[in-house]
Amino acid sequence: MLHKTRGIVFKTTDYSESSVIVQIFTEKFGLQSYLINGVKKPKAKISSNMLQPLHLLDMVVYHKSTGNVQRIAELKNSLVLQSIPYDVIKSCLAIFLNEILYKAVRQQTADENLFDFIFNAVEWLDHQTTAITNFHLFFLVRLTRYLGFYPDTYLMNDADYFDMKNGVFMKYKPDSVLYLSPPHTQNFNKLLTGSFENLIIIKFTNDERRYLLNKLLEYYALHIEGFGYIKSHEILEEILS
């Protein structure tokens, strides 16, 4: 049976001389693997350029609930990315966020709220001309809302510390060594209360941004089993500094 769905490319793996398996986070079925034949041929119906990380797609797919690998009947760009593939900073941001998403998003069932968040964030980044140096930090914070470990903000305005293990703000230093302390707690608050529209007014030094990124990656590793090490953040830090 054929189904229409939007999709976001997560990872492409060579399958044969001319074919690939693409992991795509779909609006209708969650994360799915699709076998695409002949994609590397000169006159391929589906171009490999359409299968780059975080590209946004409109798809017509065959779907079997018992299948590990699905098939695609039709595929086209939902919108053609105008700047992400060609802007050094944006492309590094996309590679980094793609690595995060590939490790963090594993559900093979529909999650339309999560899908809309990622889709709209990629579209926003592609259109944005300023205020992108903190985009990845804000994205990581907001993503936790959909992954199930968004911080408890009850004491946020009165706290000096953020306990990363338990995801709560505290007035006193936690017993664990896994926490944020001033001024990083307050910087973290700015991200929690921010929005894409007001990112331009959030100002961090390079050292503050680097520290927050490393702590956010620790936070993810604490709350996602098997999250592991992120390789691309070191290149991203170099580009943004």
Side-chain angles (χ1 to χ4, degrees):
M1 184 175 178
L2 291 171
H3 303 266
K4 290 184 178 180
T5 184
R6 292 186 297 169
I8 304 168
V9 178
F10 275 11
K11 185 177 182 179
T12 301
T13 305
D14 289 340
Y15 179 73
S16 67
E17 187 174 331
S18 62
S19 303
V20 296
I21 290 180
V22 187
Q23 290 185 284
I24 299 176
F25 185 56
T26 68
E27 184 175 23
K28 196 167 185 176
F29 304 111
L31 185 62
Q32 297 291 326
S33 296
Y34 293 95
L35 174 62
I36 307 178
N37 294 319
V39 73
K40 299 179 184 178
K41 293 181 178 179
K43 296 182 180 180
K45 183 179 179 181
I46 297 176
S47 167
S48 59
N49 290 334
M50 301 168 69
L51 305 176
Q52 300 303 309
L54 298 189
H55 277 224
L56 309 175
L57 308 173
D58 283 330
M59 310 164 64
V60 179
V61 302
Y62 300 95
H63 185 78
K64 294 181 179 179
S65 58
T66 57
N68 292 324
V69 179
Q70 312 288 350
R71 294 275 186 171
I72 294 176
E74 298 177 23
L75 184 150
K76 63 180 181 179
N77 292 116
S78 181
L79 62 89
V80 178
L81 298 180
Q82 300 295 320
S83 64
I84 290 176
Y86 313 106
D87 182 286
V88 173
I89 294 178
K90 288 185 178 182
S91 61
C92 284
L93 284 168
I95 291 170
F96 169 74
L97 296 179
N98 182 251
E99 186 179 1
I100 295 288
L101 289 167
Y102 179 70
K103 288 175 174 287
V105 177
R106 299 170 182 174
Q107 58 263 50
Q108 293 181 310
T109 56
D111 188 334
E112 292 184 7
N113 290 329
L114 173 57
F115 181 91
D116 285 341
F117 167 71
I118 300 171
F119 192 99
N120 293 335
V122 173
E123 185 177 7
W124 184 89
L125 177 63
D126 191 57
H127 292 160
Q128 194 66 13
T129 56
T130 58
I132 63 172
T133 53
N134 296 321
F135 171 81
H136 58 306
L137 301 177
F138 178 73
F139 182 95
L140 290 180
V141 169
R142 280 302 171 93
L143 182 61
T144 63
R145 184 185 295 276
Y146 305 94
L147 298 179
F149 53 97
Y150 189 74
D152 182 341
T153 59
Y154 178 67
L155 293 176
M156 181 174 67
N157 295 326
D158 300 316
D160 286 328
Y161 299 92
F162 176 68
D163 179 350
M164 296 198 301
K165 184 177 180 180
N166 296 301
V168 297
F169 286 88
M170 302 179 66
K171 294 182 179 180
Y172 306 102
K173 187 183 295 186
D175 294 333
S176 164
V177 297
L178 301 168
Y179 63 85
L180 293 175
S181 58
H184 305 293
T185 308
Q186 288 69 37
N187 289 338
F188 187 46
N189 290 357
K190 293 177 184 178
L191 295 172
L192 284 167
T193 57
S195 66
F196 285 121
E197 290 71 27
N198 72 7
L199 276 180
I200 193 169
I201 67 174
I202 298 178
K203 306 294 184 183
F204 297 139
T205 67
N206 289 334
D207 287 342
E208 288 174 334
R209 188 180 299 111
R210 186 178 296 109
Y211 184 88
L212 278 175
L213 177 57
N214 287 325
K215 287 299 182 181
L216 279 168
L217 293 178
E218 285 184 29
Y219 188 53
Y220 269 67
L222 279 170
H223 295 278
I224 298 177
E225 185 178 356
F227 184 74
Y229 178 73
I230 298 297
K231 300 177 182 179
S232 57
H233 85 282
E234 294 174 355
I235 297 174
L236 179 62
E237 287 178 358
E238 186 68 25
I239 291 293
L240 293 176
S241 62

